[in-house]
Amino acid sequence: MSRCMKTLFINIITVIMTTATVSQKFVLAPLPYYKHSLEPYISEQTIIFHHDKHLAGYVAKLNELIEGTRYADMTLEEIVCQSDGAIFNNAAQTWNHQFYFDQFSPTPQSEPTGALAEAIRGQYGNVEELKEQMSKAGLALFGSGWVWLVCDGNKNLSIVSTQNAGTPLTEGKRPLMTIDVWEHAYYIDHRNARAEGIKSFWEVLDWKVIDERFNKCCNR
Ligand code: MN
């Protein structure tokens, strides 16, 4: 066997062994839209890096870390609520990103409706004020993290900021939407201008998804 053939053979065996030893419990959820379809607000390149590399990396790392542990049989949400350290970081980042990517559309509903619209009017006056307060929270967050709109068991809305992989799930609050303010979410399109990234976020946020999330978990 030539040296080249031998190297190829070893590489193939390594790939097979690597895939065989880590079970792929969690898989990278496909996007509900084409990668280029949020342009010009979020570029295809940002989606490729953010979804196919950052999120895919968290999913792969999570699978690797939970293999053979008590977390291996849990749902993603159970892992987020019961773990800490590296397992928490990778599980929460997987949950946060799937939740984040699911809320966009190339043809978004531009305003909340129904029960959510009513709740926002009652607490914030109007949707522009809510957007303003969330955007400000995003700019004020030092370092990496997330800004969330959440509701509690009494249908009260609130804006919550979390650092790094942090999520309101661990505080028993139900997230309705989230702004990713990690630099990787906006740096390709806007460089250091986080405010521009947040402005773009609102252009593709599909309020239909947020209405549905509110009706499902907060409108009992
Ligand atoms: Mn991110």
Side-chain angles (χ1 to χ4, degrees):
M1 198 185 285
S2 74
R3 185 188 289 177
C4 188
M5 281 294 286
K6 204 184 260 177
T7 313
L8 182 65
F9 185 68
I10 289 168
N11 282 343
I12 290 169
I13 293 295
T14 311
V15 168
I16 291 169
M17 282 177 67
T18 318
T19 12
T21 48
V22 175
S23 81
Q24 305 299 308
K25 178 179 162 72
F26 295 107
V27 292
L28 180 63
L31 293 165
Y33 40 79
Y34 291 111
K35 288 171 196 172
H36 65 270
S37 67
L38 302 181
E39 291 188 341
Y41 303 108
I42 302 178
S43 69
E44 180 175 22
Q45 212 193 358
T46 290
I47 297 283
I48 289 171
F49 276 86
H50 202 178
H51 180 268
D52 300 356
K53 296 188 190 290
H54 286 284
L55 174 53
Y58 295 128
V59 174
K61 191 72 191 166
L62 176 64
N63 283 327
E64 189 189 314
L65 291 169
I66 62 171
E67 178 85 1
T69 72
R70 68 188 185 95
Y71 301 106
D73 296 323
M74 292 184 189
T75 64
L76 184 57
E77 204 169 314
E78 285 169 341
I79 300 175
V80 169
C81 293
Q82 296 181 37
S83 62
D84 53 20
I87 292 182
F88 170 79
N89 286 337
N90 287 282
Q93 282 295 78
T94 298
W95 196 96
N96 295 354
H97 279 94
Q98 284 175 1
F99 186 80
Y100 170 83
F101 283 117
D102 278 350
Q103 67 194 350
F104 300 124
S105 166
T107 52
Q109 177 186 302
S110 60
E111 296 266 327
T113 61
L116 178 59
E118 210 174 292
I120 291 173
R121 266 198 304 275
Q123 280 190 252
Y124 297 93
N126 57 59
V127 70
E128 287 311 312
E129 178 60 25
L130 169 72
K131 284 159 76 171
E132 180 70 22
Q133 288 192 27
M134 285 191 71
S135 302
K136 271 193 187 150
L139 288 175
L141 198 154
F142 186 80
S144 296
W146 303 79
V147 174
W148 307 80
L149 180 68
V150 301
C151 71
D152 63 19
N154 298 319
K155 300 186 207 173
N156 288 315
L157 302 173
S158 52
I159 297 167
V160 172
S161 297
T162 57
Q163 295 278 342
N164 301 319
T167 160
L169 282 182
T170 53
E171 286 153 27
K173 291 180 174 150
R174 295 310 306 180
L176 300 176
M177 74 164 98
T178 189
I179 309 177
D180 185 344
V181 294
W182 282 58
E183 283 185 345
H184 68 223
Y186 59 85
Y187 220 89
I188 291 172
D189 295 340
H190 304 286
R191 297 300 174 198
N192 59 320
R194 185 185 285 185
E196 294 303 310
I198 295 174
K199 226 186 262 175
S200 293
F201 168 92
W202 295 114
E203 298 290 339
V204 284
L205 179 76
D206 188 3
W207 282 96
K208 184 167 182 276
V209 177
I210 318 306
D211 279 350
E212 283 163 6
R213 286 173 177 170
F214 183 76
N215 291 336
K216 211 165 129 192
C217 73
C218 306
N219 197 28
R220 294 189 195 104

